[in-house]
Amino acid sequence: MLKDNPSIPPRVYMGPGPSLCIQCGESLSQAQQNLAQPQRAPRSADNQSSTLVLHRRIHTGEKPYKCIDCGKSFSVSSHLTKHQRIHTGEKPYECHTCGKRFSQSSTLILHQRIHTGERPYKCDECGKTFSVSSHLTIHQRIHTGEKPYRCMECGKSFRQRSGLSTHQKTHMVLVRPFKCPP
């Protein structure tokens, strides 16, 4: 079933159940396939799931959807649609509480937590809660001691990328061609 291109792994057919990427082992169940692409038929003519075809683009690097404004390419058409809103300024998602508009629904959901006070991410160690999952991840580094951002100049490490960026400025040699008058 390798067809014409042996460098692209085929779908391992396992009946009506999951599709399996033999390159990385990811299993895509029929339910995932149908949820991921509800507007398409779950199987194409050569019996490959559309979800597996999209997944395979991770390995092949194929990005068939190109922005006509800036030339950036995407592997999924919906990612191009979201990207194009940068150029058009379109913000189709509105907060019904304050009227603020957003280009992505996920950003609206995060924003709405300001109004609702919802903080669904809780630290198991100390109980502190967060409205954004990445804030919890950064917080947990206090407990674990993890400092994944390391300065290549001096070796000092930081919990957040912003801390490293601020620190790196201390190593920069500032060129000042003019001296202050005495």
Side-chain angles (χ1 to χ4, degrees):
M1 188 176 196
L2 286 175
K3 299 255 181 190
D4 298 25
N5 190 346
S7 67
I8 300 174
R11 172 183 184 272
V12 175
Y13 186 69
M14 296 164 41
S19 295
L20 180 69
C21 174
I22 62 171
Q23 193 153 352
C24 69
E26 175 126 1
S27 176
L28 305 163
S29 71
Q30 186 66 43
Q32 285 174 312
Q33 293 169 23
N34 291 336
L35 286 173
Q37 296 294 328
Q39 73 279 13
R40 293 185 181 175
R43 303 257 178 242
S44 61
D46 63 355
N47 206 27
Q48 292 194 347
S49 73
S50 57
T51 304
L52 186 61
V53 170
L54 291 175
H55 170 81
R56 241 200 265 160
R57 289 180 183 155
I58 294 169
H59 303 298
T60 65
E62 179 188 8
K63 294 182 177 183
Y65 306 100
K66 188 173 184 176
C67 176
I68 59 172
D69 292 314
C70 69
K72 188 170 182 177
S73 295
F74 300 88
S75 59
V76 182
S77 63
S78 63
H79 295 177
L80 171 61
T81 301
K82 289 177 187 177
H83 165 80
Q84 286 174 322
R85 291 181 184 144
I86 294 169
H87 302 297
T88 65
E90 179 189 10
K91 294 184 176 184
Y93 305 100
E94 182 178 359
C95 175
H96 296 296
T97 305
C98 70
K100 189 170 182 177
R101 301 187 71 85
F102 301 90
S103 60
Q104 295 185 33
S105 61
S106 58
T107 311
L108 170 61
I109 291 166
L110 292 175
H111 166 80
Q112 287 173 325
R113 291 180 181 156
I114 294 169
H115 302 300
T116 64
E118 180 187 11
R119 297 170 72 87
Y121 306 101
K122 184 177 180 179
C123 176
D124 294 333
E125 191 76 23
C126 68
K128 189 170 181 177
T129 58
F130 300 87
S131 60
V132 182
S133 63
S134 61
H135 294 175
L136 171 60
T137 301
I138 292 166
H139 165 80
Q140 288 172 324
R141 293 178 184 149
I142 293 170
H143 303 300
T144 64
E146 179 189 12
K147 294 183 176 183
Y149 303 101
R150 187 173 182 269
C151 176
M152 301 310 283
E153 188 81 21
C154 69
K156 188 171 181 181
S157 295
F158 299 86
R159 286 189 193 99
Q160 297 183 49
R161 184 177 290 124
S162 60
L164 172 60
S165 297
T166 301
H167 166 78
Q168 286 174 325
K169 291 175 185 170
T170 65
H171 295 299
M172 292 182 184
V173 177
L174 299 175
V175 178
R176 296 187 178 152
F178 303 104
K179 293 188 178 193
C180 294

